[in-house]
Amino acid sequence: MSRSLLSSTALATTMAAVLLTSGAASAASDPGKALAAKAGIPWPAVIAHRGASFNAPEETLPAYTLARELGADYLEMDIQRTKDGVLIALHDDTLERTTNIAEVYPDRAKNPVSTFTLEELKRLDAGAWFNKAHPDRARASYAGLKILTLDEVIDIAEGGKNKPGLYIETKVPAQFPGIEEDLKAKLEQRGWLSQRPAAEKGYVNVAHMPGRVVLQTFEKYSLDLLHKAMPNTPKVLLLWLGDGYIQAESDTTFKDSGAKDKAAFYASQKVKSKAEFAAWMNWAKAHGAIGTGPAAALKNGGDQSYMDLVQPWMNTMAHEHGLIIHPYTVDDAVDFKAITARGVDGFFTNRASELLKFYGRPSKESMESILKRIGY
Ligand code: G3P
Ligand code: CA
């Protein structure tokens, strides 16, 4: 549904209430707002992580269509490449968690995505796992969903009144030499590297903005390659602690630590020094990034709760380096509120509906109504 259905006065009042009740000092957020405007990126941004993936199987047709219809600013996806050279949207580098590969290709169940042709991947069911994993959110119509190509995700982004942008990660890029150039070719072919038509007034219009595509990666070399291929497209460096990424105070891994709770272990991890963090900010800025995507520790833990890389001094430092901040992956109001108060510029979220509510621009149409309307 359109943002305009909420009047501008109501929107301003709601946003003021959100900021007051969240304790978010607008002064703390303003540097990011100005930087986002400079890059042509909406502020604060609602990035639908793998689509509306709390409510539908990640990176599938209903997940992305639902995110678009709810009013998310961006459809987020992880890009990999099939054996026959087609770009697809899939997070894991194997197919075990989110498909029925163990039934369809039992001898190849642990093989990487890159060893399958598109035709082979299209035989897999990418929806039934969700119904088993989340019976409370299951829908019979999710069974039999297909893995999507990047072309198909672009079709979804273009297919409604809302015109969200694309927030594209090169996933395990070392397995896919040249994927940055392939991505450029596809985006160019689909007309996403140049000005796109405006949405009708009152609808999400991110595809029309300069930040219509944001490229993201954890890997420095991939950021370099993305910047060479698409120098004018905004890029975000995703942040992680340890293992060849930002150096931690301690080298002890979760496995070696003997800890039981992974989220608690991650939350205890600290950056080695402010100088180390500053070095990453400098590198990102110098290599074409307009922002960072830091991990965040969540109040209630869980498997999306990582290191706390959104401490106020880190956010101040990022902004001082001219970088906006989009933390991953945050779904609960308690975390939206606490992390917003530290001065970030949007979130990756599986629950776009909840983040839109938090930002005072809720969908007017219920989740159930949208799902039925779009055929689920
Ligand atoms: O791309 C931001 C966030 O998605 C990074 O984590 O593992 O969900 O791709 P992941
Ligand atoms: Ca991702």
Side-chain angles (χ1 to χ4, degrees):
M1 272 286 121
S2 132
R3 287 173 200 186
S4 73
L5 294 175
L6 197 64
S7 75
S8 55
T9 310
L11 179 61
T13 308
T14 313
M15 270 308 283
V18 167
L19 293 174
L20 281 174
T21 54
S22 68
S26 61
S29 303
D30 280 348
K33 185 176 183 179
L35 292 167
K38 200 169 146 202
I41 288 173
W43 186 95
V46 175
I47 305 159
H49 181 249
R50 311 183 199 171
S53 57
F54 183 85
N55 298 95
E58 63 188 57
E59 313 211 22
T60 64
L61 180 59
Y64 286 124
T65 311
L66 181 56
R68 183 194 73 200
E69 294 301 295
L70 285 165
D73 293 313
Y74 286 102
L75 309 183
E76 193 265 353
M77 75 207 79
D78 307 286
I79 288 297
Q80 301 189 54
R81 192 173 60 204
T82 65
K83 187 178 176 184
D84 49 339
V86 182
L87 298 182
I88 57 161
L90 194 81
H91 179 269
D92 296 6
D93 54 357
T94 68
L95 295 139
E96 291 172 286
R97 183 178 63 86
T98 60
T99 76
N100 62 340
I101 190 157
E103 293 161 27
V104 182
Y105 307 110
D107 300 339
R108 302 167 69 195
K110 293 190 183 304
N111 292 1
V113 172
S114 57
T115 61
F116 292 83
T117 64
L118 181 63
E119 195 269 334
E120 286 173 331
L121 292 180
K122 285 285 188 184
R123 282 188 222 152
L124 299 174
D125 178 335
W129 72 272
F130 180 93
N131 289 347
K132 282 187 210 125
H134 306 291
D136 53 322
R137 288 166 250 153
R139 301 178 91 86
S141 52
Y142 289 163
L145 291 171
K146 301 297 176 202
I147 289 172
L148 298 176
T149 62
L150 172 57
D151 259 322
E152 288 166 332
V153 181
I154 292 174
D155 289 342
I156 298 166
E158 294 176 356
K161 295 259 190 187
N162 284 332
K163 303 292 183 192
L166 305 170
Y167 210 120
I168 306 175
E169 179 180 351
T170 50
K171 192 55 111 188
V172 286
Q175 288 187 21
F176 304 105
I179 197 165
E180 294 82 3
E181 284 290 339
D182 291 351
L183 183 53
K184 177 194 175 183
K186 178 52 68 184
L187 291 171
E188 208 158 47
Q189 182 207 355
R190 294 296 302 256
W192 278 73
L193 292 185
S194 43
Q195 180 73 69
R196 296 193 59 74
E200 283 174 40
K201 196 166 172 351
Y203 289 91
V204 171
N205 194 28
V206 177
H208 182 63
M209 297 170 69
R212 67 188 77 88
V213 174
V214 180
L215 305 168
Q216 44 156 347
T217 180
F218 281 101
E219 310 304 333
K220 284 178 166 178
Y221 70 86
S222 192
L223 185 77
D224 265 337
L225 292 171
L226 288 168
H227 193 49
K228 277 193 192 101
M230 292 168 273
N232 300 318
T233 300
K235 282 161 287 284
V236 158
L237 182 64
L238 300 169
L239 303 181
W240 186 254
L241 208 55
D243 277 349
Y245 298 96
I246 300 176
Q247 209 178 338
E249 234 174 40
S250 158
D251 289 337
T252 308
T253 61
F254 173 64
K255 206 167 151 217
D256 297 339
S257 71
K260 297 233 163 11
D261 181 341
K262 205 167 193 174
F265 171 78
Y266 281 148
S268 74
Q269 298 291 287
K270 293 193 170 48
V271 176
K272 187 177 181 198
S273 63
K274 287 194 176 177
E276 169 70 3
F277 197 79
W280 278 73
M281 298 300 103
N282 281 327
W283 191 94
K285 187 68 187 169
H287 291 79
I290 57 83
T292 64
L298 308 177
K299 181 163 193 304
N300 296 319
D303 58 8
Q304 292 185 159
S305 187
Y306 307 116
M307 310 87 185
D308 183 359
L309 299 181
V310 285
Q311 295 172 48
W313 69 264
M314 297 170 170
N315 298 334
T316 301
M317 190 183 278
H319 283 155
E320 283 173 356
H321 282 75
L323 298 164
I324 62 167
I325 304 152
H326 290 159
Y328 64 91
T329 301
V330 183
D331 289 350
D332 293 335
V334 65
D335 295 308
F336 296 150
K337 186 171 163 180
I339 299 172
T340 295
R342 293 158 162 218
V344 300
D345 306 307
F347 291 98
F348 291 89
T349 182
N350 301 318
R351 304 191 75 175
S353 58
E354 303 311 297
L355 184 55
L356 286 162
K357 279 183 209 158
F358 178 74
Y359 285 149
R361 44 183 167 112
S363 167
K364 287 283 182 183
E365 188 178 5
S366 72
M367 181 84 65
E368 191 58 29
S369 168
I370 296 174
L371 280 166
K372 283 198 177 129
R373 177 167 58 77
I374 64 176
Y376 296 91

